[in-house]
Amino acid sequence: MAQIIVVTSGKGGVGKTTSSAAIATGLALKGHKTVVIDFDIGLRNLDLIMGCERRVVYDFVNVINGEANLNQALIKDKRCDKLFVLPASQTRDKDALTKEGVGKVLEDLSKDFDYILCDSPAGIETGAMMALYFADTAIVTTNPEVSSVRDSDRILGMLQSRSRRAEQSLEPVKEYLLLTRYAPTRVKTGEMLSVEDVQEILAIPLLGVIPESQSVLKASNSGVPVIVDQQSDAGQAYADAVARLLGEDVPLRFVAEEKKGLLKRIFGS
Ligand SMILES: Nc1ncnc2c1ncn2[C@@H]1O[C@H](COP(=O)(O)OP(=O)(O)O)[C@@H](O)[C@H]1O
Ligand SMILES: [Mg+2]
């Protein structure tokens, strides 16, 4: 039986797809058979970030509608043979994701995979609700700003009331905070909330803090999940988050302001 993990947020553009790609890749690199599903019908970002966009023939909605089977639609990652992508449809209407259809696909995948990651669209409409409904675990992706924290809080309410686990009075969805695009210098100047501020408001365990990093854009432009770049700060931070997800005790990094060396202080960075 697979563990179903939703990467969600409420707000758009906070780093859900970046995180889904990184965490799925991290789990697979650790030897767990993992599939990452793009629930963002109409947008199709995940396959670009994963670098498999040219290989998309069938998608999630084709499988739900019985136009293709999972074997035909799953794309095997080039770098890691334990990693698969189920891409989103680019054109279909958003109502294509039905509870029955999604449930059936997840049930089939469950037999064969250790982890199923669901990359949620923004908002609290159908797509986002479908992505979180079947979750065992939720990674609530949040930026250190008030509007993002507010929307994450709303999603926590949804997880606690509208998920399958809530409906069936099962053990609640396990919730984790993933703080992304964190810039310690801007926290210091008061432009951004601190890790402690966000944790105090949302009051859920911290899975990781991902620094704001140039390496994320570089990685997504080249279709390689940033976690593969273990020279980069963001890549290392995602690797730490994956380790914590797997139960390891890893200290936080990249939360303090980088001390500038003498040369940087004189000449700027
Ligand atoms: N840690 C980060 N540092 C810098 N840019 C980031 C980081 N995480 C995400 N981004 C950028 O933010 C934008 C939105 O990210 P994305 O993962 O698509 O968010 P979402 O799926 O929540 O809409 C993208 O341009 C991405 O490159
Ligand atoms: Mg996205």
Side-chain angles (χ1 to χ4, degrees), residues 10-266:
K11 194 169 192 281
V14 295
K16 289 182 295 295
T17 300
T18 303
S19 301
S20 300
I23 293 169
T25 304
L27 288 167
L29 288 173
K30 287 232 178 191
H32 304 284
K33 194 169 177 191
T34 303
V35 54
V36 54
I37 307 178
D38 192 345
F39 275 75
D40 211 343
I41 302 298
L43 273 180
R44 266 187 58 184
N45 267 330
L46 182 68
D47 47 296
L48 288 169
I49 307 281
M50 297 291 295
C52 64
E53 73 280 6
R54 284 184 302 272
R55 288 195 276 154
V56 175
V57 179
Y58 294 114
D59 58 58
F60 192 17
V61 172
N62 290 136
V63 178
I64 289 176
N65 292 343
E67 294 150 358
N69 63 35
L70 270 172
N71 243 342
Q72 294 173 286
L74 285 174
I75 302 173
K76 192 175 184 170
D77 188 71
K78 309 179 256 221
R79 291 163 293 261
C80 180
D81 62 1
K82 293 216 180 280
L83 181 59
F84 292 79
V85 179
L86 185 53
S89 167
Q90 208 160 24
T91 51
R92 315 272 180 133
D93 69 310
K94 306 211 183 231
D95 298 328
L97 298 181
T98 60
K99 215 177 253 182
E100 295 68 36
V102 172
K104 175 75 174 51
V105 172
L106 293 181
E107 198 186 314
D108 288 348
L109 288 170
S110 256
K111 296 173 194 149
D112 203 31
F113 284 88
D114 301 318
Y115 289 96
I116 301 173
L117 261 90
C118 304
D119 177 19
S120 177
I124 49 165
E125 275 99 60
T126 318
M129 287 301 121
M130 287 301 150
L132 72 75
Y133 183 75
F134 295 95
D136 301 307
T137 300
I139 298 178
V140 180
T141 312
T142 309
N143 291 162
E145 48 180 56
V146 173
S147 64
S148 175
V149 174
R150 196 189 296 130
D151 286 357
S152 288
D153 214 14
R154 259 179 111 193
I155 278 293
L156 288 173
M158 292 295 174
L159 286 162
Q160 289 155 17
S161 59
R162 302 270 300 274
S163 62
R164 181 185 67 95
R165 284 179 170 273
E167 273 182 17
Q168 300 177 0
S169 305
L170 302 170
E171 198 183 311
V173 177
K174 220 181 270 166
E175 300 158 335
Y176 290 112
L177 167 64
L178 183 68
L179 199 53
T180 53
R181 311 201 67 164
Y182 197 70
T185 6
R186 298 184 58 196
V187 172
K188 207 173 166 196
T189 56
E191 291 165 79
M192 277 186 175
L193 300 172
S194 68
V195 185
E196 293 76 21
D197 293 336
V198 180
Q199 259 189 302
E200 198 179 305
I201 302 168
L202 296 179
I204 55 173
L206 184 64
L207 186 67
V209 178
I210 313 298
E212 170 77 22
S213 170
Q214 295 272 333
S215 58
V216 172
L217 189 63
K218 213 177 88 197
S220 71
N221 282 340
S222 46
V224 180
V226 70
I227 197 169
V228 173
D229 178 7
Q230 275 301 302
Q231 301 301 314
S232 69
D233 49 359
Q236 292 173 20
Y238 274 117
D240 288 356
V242 169
R244 289 187 200 103
L245 191 61
L246 294 170
E248 290 172 43
D249 194 9
V250 183
L252 271 186
R253 294 192 271 177
F254 315 112
V255 287
E257 201 180 6
E258 196 187 328
K259 288 224 163 47
K260 283 194 177 167
L262 183 63
L263 287 176
K264 267 195 181 167
R265 255 185 284 155
I266 296 170

